[in-house]
Amino acid sequence: MKRIQKAFNVVLALALLSLPFIGWWRAQAIEDWWKLRGYTPPPSITELAQRDTMTPQATHDFYVNHPQLINGVSNFRQDCPESEQAIVLGCYHPVQNGIFVYVVNDTRLNGVEEVTAAHEMLHAAYDRLSSGDKKYIDGLLEDYYNKDLTDQRIKDEINGYKKTEPNDVVNEMHSVFGTEASDLPAPLENYYKRYFSDRSAVVSLADNYQEAFTTRTTELDAYKVKLDDLKGKITSEENSLQKQLNQINSDRARLDSMANGGQTDEYNAAVPGFNNEVDIYNQGVKQLQSDISEYNSLVSEYNSLAGELRSLQDSIDTRLAPQPAQ
């Protein structure tokens, strides 16, 4: 009888200890039910979830926040006023109070809305982790960042968050690594299976739109090298030609002096060498003109490519601009 009583006491104690968790879980479930009651996601939102290969759990976390696609910087900033002088493409309002994604109309950046939506969904998912799960996942994220992360672009992105959001760096790691890091350790990869049936599809979308920037940036760097080399060559040619011209002018004056002084034989003997000197100079001038033409052509190509890069940057620039007074 004492054993039965003791077992009953243990079960009762465990039940009492679990009540806070059960209460929290049921409260969250009731709140979710209330938010989703009568909610039908627009087709554009459904498509985002599908293209991101969101699992039922991720889709639930996404829809609970009634995600919206927002056109126009001023409209977007009304919903995402944080960091108004930083480029922000989406935001999540804790706790489960909304996800907003900026509409990017530039087709060269296809995929940016999907990645942004997945990024913000992961913020909502991180909010829902238990303290134990969060501690475990935080450890995995920090361990990956400190030991295994090799992508410099992602490192720079995290370093940027350290400056702008120092209190939420691990939270941002959770979203960035889940949507942009191609190779994750097995424990993290398994964890993200909660949210994506094919996480590589999201990473591929991120790579595709990032490539629009990296390709042009790499090409611009190559143009800079060519332009610097060619500019150095042109400067060297101009200096050399100036010295040749000075010598030609000196030799011409000497020939004129011979001709005027009646030194016919000396003059005739010196003319072939002088003419050869002039031919070499004229060839150098033609080469200089060709190099200058090539330089100007490269500058035009560089400026055109730089314009493309600026237009891409403008497509995602959600910073508020100063407005003129009346």
Side-chain angles (χ1 to χ4, degrees):
M1 186 67 180
K2 287 183 179 180
R3 288 183 179 179
I4 296 174
Q5 183 64 42
K6 186 176 181 180
F8 175 78
N9 290 339
V10 170
V11 171
L12 179 60
L14 290 174
L16 290 173
L17 287 172
S18 67
L19 280 177
F21 172 78
I22 295 172
W24 172 85
W25 181 83
R26 288 192 60 80
Q28 184 68 71
I30 291 170
E31 183 181 352
D32 289 354
W33 172 82
W34 182 260
K35 288 182 176 179
L36 290 172
R37 183 174 57 93
Y39 172 72
T40 301
S44 58
I45 296 299
T46 303
E47 289 170 7
L48 285 179
Q50 290 173 346
R51 288 197 291 268
D52 280 334
T53 73
M54 290 187 191
T55 62
Q57 178 178 341
T59 303
H60 174 87
D61 295 348
F62 191 46
Y63 289 171
V64 159
N65 284 277
H66 292 203
Q68 297 181 46
L69 285 163
I70 308 295
N71 269 294
V73 172
S74 59
N75 292 332
F76 175 71
R77 281 304 186 174
Q78 290 178 18
D79 296 304
C80 297
E82 304 88 349
S83 304
E84 292 179 354
Q85 292 309 311
I87 294 177
V88 177
L89 297 177
C91 64
Y92 156 72
H93 293 311
V95 176
Q96 315 300 321
N97 282 325
I99 287 176
F100 302 91
V101 176
Y102 181 66
V103 173
V104 177
N105 293 310
D106 194 323
T107 56
R108 295 171 297 179
L109 298 176
N110 285 343
V112 66
E113 292 169 13
E114 288 85 348
V115 176
T116 302
H119 180 108
E120 302 306 333
M121 177 276 295
L122 285 175
H123 280 313
Y126 186 81
D127 237 3
R128 289 172 172 263
L129 291 176
S130 68
S131 58
D133 278 352
K134 191 171 289 186
K135 182 178 180 180
Y136 172 68
I137 297 303
D138 286 356
L140 293 179
L141 294 168
E142 290 177 326
D143 194 55
Y144 171 69
Y145 174 75
N146 291 322
K147 296 179 181 178
D148 299 319
L149 179 60
T150 58
D151 190 318
Q152 189 58 49
R153 184 191 64 77
I154 295 180
K155 285 184 178 181
D156 292 341
E157 187 174 355
I158 298 303
N159 289 336
Y161 282 122
K162 287 183 178 180
K163 296 176 181 178
T164 60
E165 301 179 47
N167 296 324
D168 293 312
V169 174
V170 180
N171 192 339
E172 293 298 342
M173 286 182 184
H174 180 263
S175 286
V176 172
F177 297 164
T179 56
E180 300 179 42
S182 57
D183 296 314
L184 291 176
L188 270 179
E189 201 68 72
N190 289 331
Y191 163 71
Y192 282 117
K193 288 179 181 179
R194 296 184 187 182
Y195 308 113
F196 306 106
S197 60
D198 182 10
R199 194 181 68 84
S200 66
V202 184
V203 175
S204 179
L205 289 170
D207 288 342
N208 286 341
Y209 82 76
Q210 286 292 344
E211 187 178 0
F213 291 98
T214 56
T215 298
R216 287 168 175 81
T217 300
T218 300
E219 289 179 6
L220 285 173
D221 289 341
Y223 270 113
K224 288 178 182 177
V225 172
K226 289 181 182 178
L227 286 169
D228 287 345
D229 289 345
L230 194 51
K231 185 177 181 179
K233 183 171 183 278
I234 288 171
T235 299
S236 177
E237 288 172 344
E238 288 175 334
N239 291 336
S240 177
L241 286 170
Q242 186 60 56
K243 291 178 181 178
Q244 292 178 48
L245 182 59
N246 292 340
Q247 186 62 51
I248 286 171
N249 289 334
S250 176
D251 290 344
R252 190 187 300 279
R254 184 168 60 85
L255 285 173
D256 289 344
S257 177
M258 289 178 185
N260 292 333
Q263 297 174 282
T264 304
D265 290 341
E266 292 88 342
Y267 175 84
N268 290 336
V271 165
F274 176 80
N275 288 342
N276 183 61
E277 186 180 1
V278 171
D279 286 343
I280 293 173
Y281 172 80
N282 288 339
Q283 290 172 14
V285 169
K286 289 181 180 179
Q287 182 62 53
L288 174 63
Q289 291 172 337
S290 174
D291 288 341
I292 290 175
S293 177
E294 181 182 357
Y295 183 86
N296 290 336
S297 177
L298 286 174
V299 167
S300 178
E301 293 172 13
Y302 176 90
N303 289 337
S304 176
L305 190 59
E308 289 182 23
L309 184 59
R310 280 194 300 273
S311 71
L312 286 173
Q313 292 166 340
D314 289 343
S315 296
I316 60 170
D317 191 348
T318 58
R319 293 172 296 182
L320 291 176
Q323 297 298 309
Q326 291 293 344

